[in-house]
Amino acid sequence: MDIQLVAEGLKFPEGPIAMQDGSVILTEIAGQRLTRITPDGRTSLVAETGGGPNGAAIGPDGAIYVTNNGGSFQWLEQQGLLIPGPTPPEHVGGSIQRVDIATGKVETLYDSCDGKRLVGPNDLVFDRTGGFWFTDHGCSTPEGRKFGALYYARTDGSSITRLRDHFVSPNGVGLSPDEDVVYMADTNLGRLWAFDISAPGQLAEPPPFQPGRVVCNLPGYQLLDSLAVEAGGKVCVATIINGGITAFDPGGATEHYPFPDILVTNICFGGEDMQTAWITASGTGKLYRARWPRPGLKLNFNA
């Protein structure tokens, strides 16, 4: 696979969005900002978000919606890499933010659900109706982890619902091409989950005594991060330790594409044929471009 370095010097990049003008807007979690990167590698500030902007996606109104973990990591430098560490004691929770691309104005859309504070929102994806699924990664504490969850919400601030909870570390989230399945990667388990959708924002009853269907558990110590779905239905999940992208077939088969960073955190697709892949290599602070062997699924909204 032909891999090209596009930009470096980023502070833990994540949440890439392939824009219609050929640029990429991504989050810099440690930099607490949204950044635009042109195809020739030039960078410019879109917005200062504060906290820890993690996932990002264009909504039906053309704004960028951000899952902000609220600063749930202390940042460590080890062997030339920037590494997310324990949750700082001052962390109180995260939020869903709306960012106006033209002005950089940042608004908080949600910071709680049913009176319970969001812990560390991580990733999101919009369905055809304009609602969005998002994950809450939870966070670490000195006594152990606060569990995470899978949510669904509307962009007008009218509705947020916790659909499944008590997961170890929910991360990447994506929809199947016909939007009858929502996929969720669990970081610490190295597991890709599948949940059948009965209606927009609603899940079908899971198998008995199970929260959902397990697509695959990766062997050994591999951690899963954010994801994007291919037009043919494969789920491409950024993989940590075994640095690269793991493509999961819905039936459970996998194939791995290595990239030069053990902390590969996300992938998105763009270009006229949707075979341009943008990959965030967060430990080294770099953005790569590659020619993907298959087209990615076109997202419902762009700008």
Side-chain angles (χ1 to χ4, degrees):
M1 179 179 291
D2 179 32
I3 300 172
Q4 300 175 331
L5 175 63
V6 178
E8 54 189 336
L10 305 170
K11 292 189 175 181
F12 213 86
E14 244 270 41
I17 305 169
M19 304 296 289
Q20 289 181 344
D21 64 0
S23 69
V24 171
I25 293 179
L26 49 71
T27 64
E28 292 186 69
I29 304 180
Q32 302 182 325
R33 59 183 173 245
L34 283 174
T35 300
R36 186 189 293 270
I37 303 176
T38 58
D40 61 1
R42 290 179 291 117
T43 64
S44 60
L45 177 69
V46 176
E48 300 275 5
T49 63
N54 206 310
I58 301 292
D61 57 355
I64 292 180
Y65 289 79
V66 175
T67 42
N68 192 312
N69 63 41
S72 64
F73 300 114
Q74 298 180 48
W75 296 99
L76 312 173
E77 291 190 17
Q78 297 180 4
Q79 301 179 27
L81 300 174
L82 188 62
I83 306 288
T87 301
E90 64 270 18
H91 178 259
V92 295
S95 64
I96 306 298
Q97 297 174 311
R98 180 189 182 275
V99 179
D100 185 302
I101 301 175
T103 66
K105 181 182 178 181
V106 180
E107 302 172 281
T108 297
L109 188 62
Y110 299 103
D111 63 10
S112 62
C113 176
D114 297 329
K116 182 180 178 180
R117 185 66 196 262
L118 298 176
V119 181
N122 187 280
D123 200 10
L124 74 165
V125 63
F126 280 89
D127 65 16
R128 297 186 186 108
T129 73
F132 60 97
W133 297 89
F134 76 92
T135 54
D136 190 318
H137 188 63
C139 73
S140 64
T141 76
E143 294 76 32
R145 283 195 62 81
K146 289 183 179 179
F147 287 123
L150 176 67
Y151 292 81
Y152 185 84
R154 308 297 304 190
T155 58
D156 61 1
S158 65
S159 175
I160 178 172
T161 306
R162 187 182 303 107
L163 276 302
R164 294 282 192 275
D165 56 11
H166 283 82
F167 288 101
V168 177
S169 46
N171 200 309
V173 64
L175 292 166
S176 63
D178 51 12
E179 300 195 358
D180 62 350
V181 176
V182 57
Y183 294 104
M184 185 185 82
D186 192 304
T187 300
N188 292 353
L189 298 183
R191 175 180 296 169
L192 182 64
W193 290 97
F195 306 94
D196 296 316
I197 297 173
S198 57
Q202 299 179 33
L203 295 181
E205 285 296 316
F209 308 110
Q210 302 175 56
R213 294 184 288 110
V214 175
V215 177
C216 181
N217 292 309
L218 290 184
Y221 191 67
Q222 301 184 64
L223 308 179
L224 293 180
D225 209 289
S226 296
L227 62 83
V229 178
E230 295 181 5
K234 289 181 182 288
V235 185
C236 299
V237 190
T239 310
I240 296 171
I241 306 301
N242 185 13
I245 304 294
T246 303
F248 293 78
D249 185 88
T254 65
E255 53 189 319
H256 186 74
Y257 299 89
F259 281 80
D261 192 324
I262 65 168
L263 280 160
V264 175
T265 59
N266 212 332
I267 178 173
C268 74
F269 296 107
E272 290 187 7
D273 61 2
M274 295 299 289
Q275 282 187 254
T276 299
W278 302 89
I279 295 94
T280 51
S282 298
T284 54
K286 296 176 180 178
L287 175 68
Y288 289 98
R289 178 174 54 228
R291 179 71 177 171
W292 204 250
R294 299 169 296 270
L297 180 65
K298 191 172 183 179
L299 297 177
N300 289 308
F301 306 105
N302 205 317

